[in-house]
Amino acid sequence: MAGIVLRLLILSACLCAASLYAGGGQIRAYNIDYNWDSPDKYINSFAAPGRWADANPKELMRWYEGMGFNAVHSFGVSCNGYAWYKGGKVVPPQPGLKYDLLTEMVKIGKEKNIKVFAYFCVGANTKWGLEHPELSYGTPSSPHIPFTLEYIKYLCASIKETIEIAKPHGIMLDWIWTPAGNSLNGAPKPLKWLECEREMYFELTGKRFPGKENITKSEEAEFRRLSIARLWKAVYETVKRADSDCLIWITNENVNSPDVAGSKMFAQADWLMNEHGDIEKTRAMRAMVKPGARLITCLAAWNGSDPFSTAADALKNGVGLYGFAKPSDGFLMKPVSYYLGSDISALKGDELNIAVLARVFNGKVLNH
């Protein structure tokens, strides 16, 4: 208990810094995450198409506003491959989608000065995998899509459609990884070298594919970097042509991965987030971004970051704060009053992370 009190006092000392951003400069972001569900309900761990299709944009935005958030990561196309807006021709909406969710959230956000971002999972899309088995490593709930020209065309068309229909403040891009993964916990997985990847090898290097037995680790690593670079160039140009004011928010859980280190996407992004949440990597991102770009750090149960020290450091240094978790009460989280009124020392995991954010952003760090 003494440790909790001490960390709360540290956060209290940082509230003066938080107050400097009361006009909206401090990024205070969250996502009620519709990407994931229990694995026994679908072919992988992603939410089945139509899960949470009854999500009400007014109730969602009311919760975000009450929590004190000024930025919302909503959804353009989630990991299952279906859209959260209506009227598109490129991507069908979630089956049974009750409301024009993203479009209505954006409208409410513009009324309440809350930025709403349209999310895209770049490296995984179950619908794409099922419909294009020759262009995918199956349909796991992990990066599985080679960045072929066909996929880049589809992804860019999806992004363009979302911007034109829903008119979000920005797009959020997640899992910009080849099927080799992000090498967060060691070396990346070897590529399978599907026929489409062999064709990509020639497109990207100008050389014939030497064969699985002959390709070196350095050649494979360069292929991964070039794959990501080609996709990023197309996505960046698509966004800025569709709406030059549309912000690009990139989330990355391993900013030091050799696949992305020094990438133009970090230098061109408007918002860059260290999803791993560790303070040192977040600070190091300042050298990666353009002048005026915003840095964000993440409070989430999966990354194990201490919410008190992470939040205090972010507030002190003008870094944005973000969190996410799967819904816990229908399509929503528990009421705002729960996170503001509960004994914070009794909370754990994502509930503790949410409670810390709620207290910081409502000026009520201590339990009163």
Short mmCIF file of all heavy atoms in Angstrom, two decimals, residues 1-13 15 308 339-345 355-356 358-368:
data_model
loop_
_atom_site.label_atom_id
_atom_site.label_comp_id
_atom_site.label_asym_id
_atom_site.label_seq_id
_atom_site.Cartn_x
_atom_site.Cartn_y
_atom_site.Cartn_z
N MET A 1 0.82 -1.20 0.00
CA MET A 1 0.00 0.00 0.00
C MET A 1 0.86 1.26 0.00
O MET A 1 0.57 2.23 -0.69
CB MET A 1 -0.92 0.00 1.23
CG MET A 1 -1.86 1.21 1.29
SD MET A 1 -3.04 1.19 -0.09
CE MET A 1 -3.96 2.67 0.27
N ALA A 2 1.98 1.21 0.78
CA ALA A 2 2.86 2.37 0.84
C ALA A 2 3.42 2.70 -0.54
O ALA A 2 3.57 3.86 -0.91
CB ALA A 2 3.99 2.11 1.83
N GLY A 3 3.73 1.63 -1.30
CA GLY A 3 4.25 1.85 -2.64
C GLY A 3 3.25 2.53 -3.55
O GLY A 3 3.59 3.40 -4.35
N ILE A 4 1.97 2.12 -3.43
CA ILE A 4 0.91 2.74 -4.21
C ILE A 4 0.81 4.22 -3.87
O ILE A 4 0.71 5.09 -4.76
CB ILE A 4 -0.44 2.04 -3.95
CG1 ILE A 4 -0.42 0.61 -4.51
CG2 ILE A 4 -1.59 2.84 -4.54
CD1 ILE A 4 -0.53 0.54 -6.01
N VAL A 5 0.81 4.54 -2.59
CA VAL A 5 0.69 5.94 -2.15
C VAL A 5 1.84 6.77 -2.69
O VAL A 5 1.66 7.88 -3.19
CB VAL A 5 0.64 6.02 -0.61
CG1 VAL A 5 0.71 7.47 -0.16
CG2 VAL A 5 -0.64 5.37 -0.10
N LEU A 6 3.08 6.23 -2.60
CA LEU A 6 4.24 6.96 -3.09
C LEU A 6 4.10 7.25 -4.58
O LEU A 6 4.37 8.37 -5.04
CB LEU A 6 5.51 6.14 -2.82
CG LEU A 6 6.82 6.74 -3.38
CD1 LEU A 6 7.07 8.11 -2.76
CD2 LEU A 6 7.98 5.80 -3.11
N ARG A 7 3.68 6.24 -5.35
CA ARG A 7 3.55 6.44 -6.79
C ARG A 7 2.42 7.42 -7.12
O ARG A 7 2.51 8.19 -8.07
CB ARG A 7 3.33 5.10 -7.48
CG ARG A 7 4.60 4.24 -7.51
CD ARG A 7 4.41 2.92 -8.20
NE ARG A 7 3.61 2.01 -7.39
CZ ARG A 7 3.24 0.81 -7.80
NH1 ARG A 7 3.54 0.39 -9.01
NH2 ARG A 7 2.53 0.03 -7.00
N LEU A 8 1.36 7.42 -6.30
CA LEU A 8 0.30 8.40 -6.50
C LEU A 8 0.79 9.81 -6.22
O LEU A 8 0.42 10.77 -6.90
CB LEU A 8 -0.89 8.08 -5.59
CG LEU A 8 -1.75 6.87 -6.02
CD1 LEU A 8 -2.73 6.49 -4.93
CD2 LEU A 8 -2.50 7.19 -7.31
N LEU A 9 1.65 9.95 -5.21
CA LEU A 9 2.21 11.25 -4.91
C LEU A 9 3.09 11.75 -6.05
O LEU A 9 3.10 12.95 -6.37
CB LEU A 9 3.00 11.19 -3.60
CG LEU A 9 2.17 11.02 -2.32
CD1 LEU A 9 3.08 10.80 -1.12
CD2 LEU A 9 1.28 12.25 -2.10
N ILE A 10 3.84 10.83 -6.66
CA ILE A 10 4.65 11.20 -7.82
C ILE A 10 3.77 11.70 -8.95
O ILE A 10 4.04 12.72 -9.58
CB ILE A 10 5.49 10.00 -8.29
CG1 ILE A 10 6.55 9.65 -7.23
CG2 ILE A 10 6.17 10.30 -9.62
CD1 ILE A 10 7.29 8.36 -7.53
N LEU A 11 2.67 10.99 -9.17
CA LEU A 11 1.74 11.43 -10.21
C LEU A 11 1.12 12.77 -9.86
O LEU A 11 0.93 13.63 -10.71
CB LEU A 11 0.63 10.38 -10.40
CG LEU A 11 0.82 9.37 -11.53
CD1 LEU A 11 -0.37 8.45 -11.60
CD2 LEU A 11 1.02 10.07 -12.85
N SER A 12 0.79 12.97 -8.58
CA SER A 12 0.21 14.24 -8.15
C SER A 12 1.16 15.39 -8.46
O SER A 12 0.76 16.47 -8.89
CB SER A 12 -0.08 14.20 -6.64
OG SER A 12 -1.05 13.24 -6.34
N ALA A 13 2.47 15.15 -8.25
CA ALA A 13 3.46 16.18 -8.51
C ALA A 13 3.52 16.52 -9.99
O ALA A 13 3.95 17.61 -10.36
CB ALA A 13 4.82 15.70 -8.03
N LEU A 15 0.85 16.55 -11.98
CA LEU A 15 -0.41 17.11 -12.47
C LEU A 15 -0.26 18.55 -12.93
O LEU A 15 -0.98 19.02 -13.80
CB LEU A 15 -1.49 17.02 -11.39
CG LEU A 15 -2.16 15.66 -11.25
CD1 LEU A 15 -3.14 15.68 -10.10
CD2 LEU A 15 -2.84 15.26 -12.54
N PHE A 308 2.14 4.06 -13.05
CA PHE A 308 2.45 5.27 -12.29
C PHE A 308 3.70 5.95 -12.82
O PHE A 308 3.69 7.14 -13.13
CB PHE A 308 2.62 4.92 -10.81
CG PHE A 308 1.39 4.34 -10.18
CD1 PHE A 308 1.24 2.97 -10.06
CD2 PHE A 308 0.36 5.16 -9.73
CE1 PHE A 308 0.11 2.42 -9.50
CE2 PHE A 308 -0.78 4.62 -9.17
CZ PHE A 308 -0.91 3.25 -9.04
N TYR A 339 -13.91 3.65 -12.30
CA TYR A 339 -12.46 3.89 -12.35
C TYR A 339 -12.05 5.08 -11.49
O TYR A 339 -10.93 5.11 -10.97
CB TYR A 339 -12.03 4.10 -13.81
CG TYR A 339 -12.35 2.91 -14.68
CD1 TYR A 339 -13.41 2.95 -15.59
CD2 TYR A 339 -11.63 1.74 -14.57
CE1 TYR A 339 -13.71 1.86 -16.39
CE2 TYR A 339 -11.94 0.63 -15.36
CZ TYR A 339 -12.98 0.70 -16.26
OH TYR A 339 -13.29 -0.39 -17.04
N LEU A 340 -12.94 6.04 -11.33
CA LEU A 340 -12.62 7.19 -10.49
C LEU A 340 -12.88 6.93 -9.02
O LEU A 340 -12.24 7.54 -8.15
CB LEU A 340 -13.44 8.41 -10.94
CG LEU A 340 -13.06 9.02 -12.30
CD1 LEU A 340 -14.02 10.14 -12.66
CD2 LEU A 340 -11.63 9.55 -12.27
N GLY A 341 -13.81 6.03 -8.73
CA GLY A 341 -14.22 5.84 -7.34
C GLY A 341 -13.65 4.63 -6.64
O GLY A 341 -13.68 4.55 -5.41
N SER A 342 -13.10 3.68 -7.39
CA SER A 342 -12.59 2.46 -6.77
C SER A 342 -11.30 2.73 -6.00
O SER A 342 -10.55 3.67 -6.29
CB SER A 342 -12.32 1.39 -7.83
OG SER A 342 -13.51 1.00 -8.47
N ASP A 343 -11.03 1.89 -5.02
CA ASP A 343 -9.75 1.92 -4.31
C ASP A 343 -8.67 1.47 -5.30
O ASP A 343 -8.62 0.31 -5.70
CB ASP A 343 -9.81 0.97 -3.11
CG ASP A 343 -8.49 0.90 -2.36
OD1 ASP A 343 -7.53 1.61 -2.74
OD2 ASP A 343 -8.41 0.10 -1.40
N ILE A 344 -7.83 2.39 -5.70
CA ILE A 344 -6.87 2.09 -6.76
C ILE A 344 -5.89 1.00 -6.36
O ILE A 344 -5.37 0.28 -7.20
CB ILE A 344 -6.13 3.38 -7.20
CG1 ILE A 344 -5.53 3.19 -8.60
CG2 ILE A 344 -5.08 3.79 -6.19
CD1 ILE A 344 -5.05 4.47 -9.24
N SER A 345 -5.65 0.84 -5.05
CA SER A 345 -4.71 -0.18 -4.60
C SER A 345 -5.27 -1.59 -4.80
O SER A 345 -4.52 -2.57 -4.76
CB SER A 345 -4.35 0.02 -3.12
OG SER A 345 -5.49 -0.18 -2.30
N ALA A 355 -7.73 3.29 -14.55
CA ALA A 355 -7.97 4.14 -13.39
C ALA A 355 -6.90 5.23 -13.27
O ALA A 355 -7.21 6.38 -12.92
CB ALA A 355 -8.00 3.29 -12.12
N VAL A 356 -5.65 4.88 -13.56
CA VAL A 356 -4.59 5.89 -13.53
C VAL A 356 -4.86 6.97 -14.58
O VAL A 356 -4.78 8.17 -14.29
CB VAL A 356 -3.21 5.23 -13.77
CG1 VAL A 356 -2.14 6.30 -14.03
CG2 VAL A 356 -2.81 4.39 -12.56
N ALA A 358 -7.75 7.79 -15.91
CA ALA A 358 -8.95 8.54 -15.54
C ALA A 358 -8.63 9.58 -14.48
O ALA A 358 -9.10 10.73 -14.54
CB ALA A 358 -10.03 7.59 -15.04
N ARG A 359 -7.84 9.21 -13.48
CA ARG A 359 -7.51 10.15 -12.41
C ARG A 359 -6.62 11.27 -12.92
O ARG A 359 -6.83 12.44 -12.59
CB ARG A 359 -6.82 9.39 -11.26
CG ARG A 359 -7.81 8.60 -10.40
CD ARG A 359 -7.08 7.58 -9.54
NE ARG A 359 -7.90 7.05 -8.47
CZ ARG A 359 -8.85 6.16 -8.61
NH1 ARG A 359 -9.14 5.70 -9.81
NH2 ARG A 359 -9.55 5.74 -7.57
N VAL A 360 -5.64 10.93 -13.74
CA VAL A 360 -4.76 11.96 -14.29
C VAL A 360 -5.55 12.96 -15.12
O VAL A 360 -5.40 14.18 -14.96
CB VAL A 360 -3.65 11.32 -15.15
CG1 VAL A 360 -2.89 12.37 -15.94
CG2 VAL A 360 -2.67 10.56 -14.25
N PHE A 361 -6.42 12.47 -15.98
CA PHE A 361 -7.09 13.34 -16.92
C PHE A 361 -8.32 14.05 -16.34
O PHE A 361 -8.88 14.93 -16.96
CB PHE A 361 -7.47 12.57 -18.18
CG PHE A 361 -6.27 12.04 -18.93
CD1 PHE A 361 -6.35 10.86 -19.63
CD2 PHE A 361 -5.05 12.71 -18.90
CE1 PHE A 361 -5.25 10.36 -20.30
CE2 PHE A 361 -3.94 12.22 -19.57
CZ PHE A 361 -4.06 11.03 -20.28
N ASN A 362 -8.73 13.65 -15.14
CA ASN A 362 -9.81 14.34 -14.45
C ASN A 362 -9.32 15.09 -13.21
O ASN A 362 -10.12 15.60 -12.43
CB ASN A 362 -10.89 13.34 -14.04
CG ASN A 362 -11.78 12.94 -15.21
OD1 ASN A 362 -12.72 13.64 -15.57
ND2 ASN A 362 -11.45 11.80 -15.84
N GLY A 363 -7.99 15.14 -13.02
CA GLY A 363 -7.44 15.88 -11.90
C GLY A 363 -7.74 15.25 -10.56
O GLY A 363 -7.80 15.94 -9.55
N LYS A 364 -7.93 13.92 -10.54
CA LYS A 364 -8.29 13.23 -9.29
C LYS A 364 -7.39 12.01 -9.11
O LYS A 364 -7.84 10.88 -9.10
CB LYS A 364 -9.76 12.80 -9.32
CG LYS A 364 -10.74 13.96 -9.43
CD LYS A 364 -12.17 13.45 -9.48
CE LYS A 364 -13.15 14.62 -9.58
NZ LYS A 364 -14.56 14.16 -9.67
N VAL A 365 -6.11 12.26 -8.97
CA VAL A 365 -5.17 11.15 -8.85
C VAL A 365 -5.42 10.35 -7.58
O VAL A 365 -5.42 9.14 -7.56
CB VAL A 365 -3.72 11.66 -8.88
CG1 VAL A 365 -2.75 10.52 -8.61
CG2 VAL A 365 -3.43 12.27 -10.25
N LEU A 366 -5.66 11.03 -6.44
CA LEU A 366 -5.89 10.34 -5.18
C LEU A 366 -7.32 9.86 -5.06
O LEU A 366 -8.20 10.29 -5.82
CB LEU A 366 -5.53 11.26 -4.00
CG LEU A 366 -4.06 11.69 -3.95
CD1 LEU A 366 -3.84 12.68 -2.81
CD2 LEU A 366 -3.14 10.48 -3.76
N ASN A 367 -7.58 8.99 -4.11
CA ASN A 367 -8.89 8.35 -3.97
C ASN A 367 -9.91 9.24 -3.28
O ASN A 367 -10.35 8.98 -2.17
CB ASN A 367 -8.77 7.03 -3.20
CG ASN A 367 -8.15 5.96 -4.06
OD1 ASN A 367 -8.35 5.94 -5.26
ND2 ASN A 367 -7.38 5.08 -3.45
N HIS A 368 -10.25 10.31 -3.90
CA HIS A 368 -11.33 11.16 -3.37
C HIS A 368 -11.90 11.99 -4.51
O HIS A 368 -11.33 12.02 -5.58
CB HIS A 368 -10.84 12.03 -2.21
CG HIS A 368 -9.70 12.92 -2.57
ND1 HIS A 368 -9.82 14.05 -3.35
CD2 HIS A 368 -8.37 12.84 -2.28
CE1 HIS A 368 -8.66 14.65 -3.49
NE2 HIS A 368 -7.74 13.92 -2.86
#
